[in-house]
Amino acid sequence: MKAFPKSCMPCGFLLLCYGVAGAAYGQVSSKQFEAQALPLLEVEESYDFLRQLTTGLPPRPRDPAIRPRADEIEIGAGWSIEIPADASLPLVTASEELERYLQDAMHVQVAVKRVARLGDWRKGQRVIVAAARAKMPGCGDRLKATKDYQIMVRGNAVAVRGFDDRGAMYGLYNLIMRFN
């Protein structure tokens, strides 16, 4: 491997990255890449990226023929999402996006409930509880830093505990990705 002077490190790093990729499959010119890749890509209208950022990508619809295995649960009618009444905007937004996702992709009506005090999630029925560890006593002791989260399932209850509200938010987004 060729060494680059420190003054050239950013350029050298880029050259090294592109060189490794090019060497793995033989050298490919930009014209060759363009000829192969561009016909496969959809043409994007102006500001499509902005629409995707504000409305999200279309969800993959639920397959009604699929049934849960013995080690899975089905989130369906009668379920709710519970968050603390004083939840921060990121956690509120994530819970509303999960609600919308379940409705649009899974055809399941759930309600977001903002409760004054969260009970023991393990005793809940048909509920997804999302909160910072401070709001869920005895839970999330292993979470060490902001954005950390843990997802637990027991019976017909799901707990999404974050180190803080942002951690719980990331946990809810992880659920959406798992459903996809």
Side-chain angles (χ1 to χ4, degrees):
M1 180 156 104
K2 184 177 178 179
F4 293 94
K6 285 186 179 179
S7 63
C8 229
M9 236 8 170
C11 287
F13 181 72
L14 287 173
L15 289 173
L16 178 63
C17 289
Y18 287 114
V20 169
Y25 299 103
Q27 294 300 320
V28 177
S29 72
S30 61
K31 293 283 185 204
Q32 291 170 316
F33 176 80
E34 213 173 270
Q36 293 290 318
L38 290 182
L40 301 175
L41 299 174
E42 291 182 28
V43 176
E44 195 173 85
E45 297 296 323
S46 296
Y47 299 102
D48 267 358
F49 71 95
L50 183 60
R51 184 172 43 260
Q52 288 178 359
L53 286 175
T54 57
T55 63
L57 295 172
R60 292 183 1 205
R62 179 181 194 160
D63 183 350
I66 294 179
R67 297 288 171 237
R69 296 186 314 238
D71 62 340
E72 296 177 327
I73 60 172
E74 180 177 4
I75 296 176
W79 278 71
S80 64
I81 302 167
E82 289 185 4
I83 60 173
D86 62 348
S88 66
L89 183 59
L91 181 54
V92 171
T93 301
S95 63
E96 290 170 349
E97 288 185 20
L98 175 58
E99 175 189 33
R100 187 177 72 215
Y101 174 84
L102 290 171
Q103 180 180 346
D104 294 348
M106 301 295 169
H107 309 292
V108 173
Q109 297 289 332
V110 298
V112 174
K113 297 179 181 177
R114 298 181 74 169
V115 296
R117 186 166 181 266
L118 297 172
D120 184 353
W121 73 272
R122 292 169 289 228
K123 295 178 182 174
Q125 288 296 312
R126 298 181 185 173
V127 65
I128 299 170
V129 180
R133 66 187 180 136
K135 304 280 173 128
M136 298 176 79
C139 299
D141 299 332
R142 297 187 336 228
L143 304 175
K144 302 296 181 203
T146 189
K147 300 182 185 176
D148 284 357
Y149 64 87
Q150 182 178 24
I151 299 172
M152 301 285 296
V153 178
R154 179 169 290 164
N156 278 332
V158 178
V160 179
R161 309 182 272 255
F163 178 84
D164 52 13
D165 275 9
R166 287 196 184 270
M169 172 198 74
Y170 282 109
L172 289 177
Y173 287 132
N174 183 290
L175 281 180
I176 293 171
M177 288 188 311
R178 288 171 183 253
F179 293 148
N180 259 335

